[in-house]
Amino acid sequence: MYDRGHHIGQKFKERFGVQPLLVRAPGRINLIGEHTDYNDGFVMPAAIDREIVFAFGPSTDGRTIIYADDVGEAVEIDLHSIRPDKRGGWINYLLGVIDRFQDRNIDVAPFWCLFGGNIPVGSGLSSSAALECGFAYGLRALSYAELSDEELIRMAQWSEHNYAGVKCGIMDQFASVMGRKDQVLMLDCRDLSYRHLPFAPRDFKVVLFDSNVKHALATSGYNTRRSECEEGLSILQRDNPAIRSLRDVSQEEVEVRKNFFPDNVFKRLRYVTGEIARVQAAARDLERNDLIAFGAKMTETHRGLSELYEVSCAELDFLVERLTTSPHVAGARMMGGGFGGCAIALVRPDAVSAIAESLGDAYRSTFGLELTVHQVNLVDGTGLVPAPNPRQHNTN
Ligand code: GLA
């Protein structure tokens, strides 16, 4: 079996001549609870078996070099002047993390780092959170910093806000660090309290249908949606200053005030308040092991994201429409920030390949695009790569 930890470790040794410390950081899915995190709501994400592995070592020549193996690009960093790189790209996610370490007066000594992985970029699986979190985790180990996991998560989010320009919520970074094998997180984004709920159903598989429409959150409407929510909140606060976030308002309370809001803001608020309630009901479905009821809620979420929050696209609507008319699918919806990326569905295991094939054909003939289908398993969050068992080594 392919062993990414071993592979990345080897590459590091070839390049830098010493043994590295190895860290892996996973991407994430989100079963339900979309665009609720930055409104103090609930989300239900999980870490998945698509990951980035980092190899780290102290530099012996005073230079700090980071090498992105998948794109064959090395960047040398001046630790005395950390600021966003105007050219953009992957390095900014990491520079933002170094910025936070230095801001905490943690002495980051020159180091080498090499990383690579298999999280598709721009598909809504949070490759950027994995990049930030895995890097922060490694840097903590390398610099003997006393930082809690929660602090790492917040530093990673800060980096995304200030170095990548996306005003994201906390969900992606939280899931990448706190995920657990065969479990989903029920996370309350107001105070970051959470529970792990078992999720290893035998009768359904989690399947991702990647539209291959690439989203770019910084340039898309993500930040606009966030400010529309803030606009709605400030209108509500005029009557009732005790309202701290959309979490404090029910869908009915929004509906009776329809005339107070511009149309677009009203739609965003209806969706968010409905979704926050829906995630809590979905958690109860999961506790009862009722995946049919759970799946129906996923499909309702899609409708809201498409018609009220308006972050879907024709390709994702098409995929969800086709998926949800199949008797072998409990529910489906677009996942993540939107404007492209993946649809997530709960599919009967023996129907996965037939659905993938027929949907792939229909998708190609309608949009001229390929559909990529990923079956994913839920795994533990960011951590050290376990020491290799020498007898199992294989570099295929
Ligand atoms: C992106 C953001 C998350 C979250 C989702 C939408 O993935 O990074 O914080 O807001 O979109 O639920």
Side-chain angles (χ1 to χ4, degrees):
M1 216 185 60
Y2 175 72
D3 179 343
R4 177 161 298 99
H6 179 67
H7 175 75
I8 293 291
Q10 281 295 118
K11 289 258 181 150
F12 182 92
K13 257 184 285 173
E14 283 161 23
R15 221 178 161 81
F16 299 110
V18 289
Q19 288 281 2
L21 174 151
L22 292 172
V23 173
R24 47 165 285 285
R28 65 104 188 87
I29 53 163
N30 183 25
L31 284 184
I32 195 160
E34 217 66 89
H35 289 276
T36 47
D37 59 353
Y38 52 86
N39 288 305
D40 276 0
F42 297 91
V43 290
M44 212 187 278
I48 54 169
D49 54 354
R50 300 292 187 279
E51 63 182 10
I52 302 176
V53 170
F54 297 79
F56 290 92
S59 161
T60 55
D61 62 5
R63 296 166 68 197
T64 294
I65 294 170
I66 306 184
Y67 187 77
D69 189 49
D70 298 325
V71 288
E73 227 173 83
V75 172
E76 181 165 353
I77 289 177
D78 178 0
L79 289 171
H80 300 294
S81 90
I82 295 296
R83 64 174 80 95
D85 186 324
K86 288 196 191 70
R87 288 164 299 178
W90 57 267
I91 193 67
N92 275 327
Y93 299 95
L94 311 182
L95 289 171
V97 171
I98 301 177
D99 179 313
R100 283 303 84 187
F101 271 63
Q102 293 182 339
D103 185 70
R104 292 283 298 267
N105 291 322
I106 297 163
D107 181 25
V108 179
F111 64 92
W112 295 320
C113 172
L114 181 146
F115 70 89
N118 67 343
I119 310 176
V121 174
S123 294
L125 303 184
S126 295
S127 55
S128 61
L131 202 53
E132 295 145 8
C133 294
F135 185 72
Y137 198 99
L139 218 54
R140 173 172 72 179
L142 215 58
S143 54
Y144 297 90
E146 284 184 21
L147 294 168
S148 67
D149 286 346
E150 193 181 317
E151 286 172 303
L152 286 192
I153 290 167
R154 292 204 184 273
M155 286 175 158
Q157 184 197 27
W158 186 95
S159 174
E160 183 106 20
H161 283 200
N162 296 286
Y163 274 65
V166 181
K167 301 288 177 207
C168 64
I170 197 79
M171 167 171 76
D172 304 348
Q173 292 78 9
F174 202 93
S176 182
V177 173
M178 307 299 267
R180 217 183 261 172
K181 184 174 163 48
D182 292 337
Q183 303 188 14
V184 293
L185 281 156
M186 174 66 174
L187 170 65
D188 181 340
C189 299
R190 167 157 272 176
D191 59 6
L192 295 193
S193 58
Y194 63 94
R195 294 181 285 148
H196 282 102
L197 302 175
F199 192 84
R202 284 215 205 101
D203 40 356
F204 286 101
K205 288 263 174 227
V206 176
V207 188
L208 304 176
F209 296 87
D210 190 341
S211 66
N212 284 308
V213 176
K214 294 292 169 195
H215 73 171
L217 289 184
T219 52
S220 71
Y222 185 89
N223 290 347
T224 315
R225 290 296 173 278
R226 197 168 172 153
S227 51
E228 287 168 331
C229 289
E230 282 158 13
E231 186 183 341
L233 177 63
S234 64
I235 293 172
L236 289 161
Q237 285 170 333
R238 276 185 225 152
D239 294 351
N240 183 354
I243 296 172
R244 283 188 291 154
S245 65
L246 296 185
R247 164 74 172 276
D248 296 325
V249 195
S250 69
Q251 198 176 38
E252 295 69 37
E253 286 163 340
V254 166
E255 273 162 9
V256 295
R257 290 171 177 76
K258 182 172 194 292
N259 295 334
F260 293 9
F261 307 103
D263 272 357
N264 60 329
V265 172
F266 175 66
K267 284 200 267 181
R268 311 301 182 244
L269 261 50
R270 260 187 80 200
Y271 165 74
V272 170
T273 49
E275 179 75 349
I276 291 175
R278 191 156 38 234
V279 183
Q280 295 172 82
R284 292 191 287 274
D285 293 339
L286 214 54
E287 277 158 349
R288 283 198 309 270
N289 217 2
D290 185 349
L291 285 179
I292 300 293
F294 187 92
K297 293 192 177 60
M298 292 170 69
T299 307
E300 278 172 32
T301 293
H302 183 79
R303 210 168 304 127
L305 287 167
S306 176
E307 292 167 13
L308 297 174
Y309 217 63
E310 298 179 290
V311 289
S312 186
C313 57
E315 292 84 352
L316 286 167
D317 286 346
F318 175 90
L319 293 174
V320 169
E321 167 69 33
R322 292 291 171 109
L323 284 164
T324 50
T325 46
S326 161
H328 307 294
V329 174
R333 62 179 197 81
M334 58 143 279
M335 187 182 75
F339 309 101
C342 289
I344 179 173
L346 298 180
V347 185
R348 297 264 183 218
D350 48 8
V352 174
S353 36
I355 290 183
E357 201 179 313
S358 65
L359 191 56
D361 290 344
Y363 189 63
R364 195 177 309 108
S365 62
T366 310
F367 294 101
L369 285 168
E370 285 307 309
L371 183 67
T372 313
V373 180
H374 307 276
Q375 280 196 53
V376 294
N377 298 301
L378 311 191
V379 302
D380 286 334
T382 304
L384 294 177
V385 175
N389 176 344
R391 273 170 304 170
Q392 282 177 359
H393 265 170
N394 182 342
T395 50
N396 287 334

